[in-house]
Amino acid sequence: MKKTLFYFFAFALIQVFVSYLVWGIWTLVLGESLREFLHQLGTGSFAPTADMLITASGVSSVLTLLLFVRCHWFRATRGNLPRRPWAIMLWCAVLSAGTIVPSMALEELLPDLPNNMEDTFHALMVSPSGYLMVGIFAPVVEEVVFRGAMITALKEKFSGVWIPVLVSALLFALVHANLAQMPHAFLVGILLGWLYCKFDSIIPGVVVHWANNTIAYIVYFLVPATRDGHLIDVFGSTQRIWLGVVFSLMIFGPALYQLIVSRTDNDK
């Protein structure tokens, strides 16, 4: 457990330290004083631009990957994936598509929670270059850390699958530092953890993560009505929302079943 918490705090500290470092250097290059930058941070009035956020996210992602790979906290393996895993990858993408509307509906059923990352999320999602962070770096880095490193460490401490999966999902939710996103992140974290344990590889999780973030990015970028996060603005009525949930579950259920019954190398 200590190793898992160490990975968690290492990941979080890299994100925070690199962000402040990039923002500070950026403001100094623009001609502002360090004192003014620190004052804005202290008063909460500092608002990083989309370019600052994207740059900081890219630098922290690269540093995280280098650290976890070079220190052997994560070891890239094919795991138990079959030699031609294309069907599994396809079902992972379909599974991910089936989670989006139900998770948004669940979020709206919960009491209103603070969304303190809304401005950051908006800045990334409306920028074409933001997709590199949301759709590429985030799926790879987060699967390396929260599944590839953390679940592996937890399995050394706990027998069985579900304690490592639940602990990693909880930490995955906490690292989002956003109460509005935590329920969705926790549930998705359970799904991603199960995929990692079944196939002993981060690849299925990366595909699910990539598909989820890519669909969200495309919808957010192309359909402005979705940017306030309310399904009623997209579907037009509560009845249509529930029809959307049912249809999504009809996609999710068969995809999950196909992944459950998928044969791995260990089954052969």
Side-chain angles (χ1 to χ4, degrees):
M1 192 66 180
K2 290 181 180 179
K3 188 185 294 186
T4 302
L5 292 176
F6 175 78
Y7 294 159
F8 175 80
F9 285 113
F11 173 79
L13 286 173
I14 290 172
Q15 313 308 306
V16 174
F17 176 77
V18 170
S19 293
Y20 287 139
L21 180 63
V22 169
W23 299 346
I25 293 173
W26 199 294
T27 54
L28 290 176
V29 170
L30 292 177
E32 296 185 23
S33 66
L34 180 60
R35 178 179 294 180
E36 178 63 23
F37 171 67
L38 295 175
H39 174 73
Q40 291 178 3
L41 284 180
T43 59
S45 60
F46 181 77
T49 65
D51 289 339
M52 290 182 186
L53 290 168
I54 292 168
T55 302
S57 179
V59 173
S60 62
S61 295
V62 171
L63 289 177
T64 300
L65 285 175
L66 289 174
L67 179 65
F68 275 73
V69 173
R70 292 295 298 272
C71 293
H72 303 292
W73 299 343
F74 164 75
R75 296 178 184 272
T77 66
R78 184 182 180 84
N80 297 325
L81 285 172
R83 183 169 299 178
R84 296 178 180 176
W86 306 117
I88 291 174
M89 301 301 101
L90 175 61
W91 285 119
C92 284
V94 173
L95 179 81
S96 183
T99 66
I100 293 176
V101 174
S103 66
M104 291 180 66
L106 175 63
E107 183 178 324
E108 293 186 10
L109 289 174
L110 295 173
D112 288 337
L113 297 171
N115 191 351
N116 55 318
M117 299 293 289
E118 186 173 5
D119 292 340
T120 299
F121 180 77
H122 176 78
L124 292 174
M125 296 297 274
V126 298
S127 171
S129 55
Y131 176 73
L132 183 63
M133 305 301 115
V134 174
I136 306 299
F137 278 136
V140 174
V141 173
E142 291 177 3
E143 291 311 302
V144 163
V145 175
F146 289 91
R147 261 60 66 176
M150 289 188 185
I151 288 184
T152 299
L154 287 164
K155 287 171 72 175
E156 296 173 358
K157 181 71 174 178
F158 300 100
S159 60
V161 168
W162 289 109
I163 291 180
V165 167
L166 291 172
V167 171
S168 67
L170 178 61
L171 294 174
F172 182 60
L174 290 175
V175 84
H176 283 76
N178 187 359
L179 288 175
Q181 286 186 323
M182 284 183 182
H184 169 72
F186 178 69
L187 293 175
V188 171
I190 293 174
L191 181 63
L192 294 170
W194 171 77
L195 283 170
Y196 177 76
C197 290
K198 177 175 176 62
F199 297 105
D200 194 28
S201 170
I202 67 166
I203 295 175
V206 169
V207 174
V208 170
H209 212 144
W210 164 80
N212 181 279
N213 289 11
T214 297
I215 293 170
Y217 178 87
I218 292 173
V219 172
Y220 194 94
F221 193 79
L222 297 180
V223 187
T226 64
R227 294 179 182 177
D228 63 0
H230 297 299
L231 289 174
I232 193 70
D233 296 324
V234 179
F235 288 93
S237 69
T238 302
Q239 183 180 13
R240 289 181 179 177
I241 291 175
W242 288 114
L243 286 174
V245 170
V246 171
F247 179 76
S248 295
L249 292 176
M250 291 173 66
I251 295 173
F252 177 85
L256 180 61
Y257 173 78
Q258 291 296 328
L259 290 167
I260 290 173
V261 301
S262 295
R263 294 174 62 87
T264 67
D265 277 352
N266 285 347
D267 299 324
K268 297 178 182 179

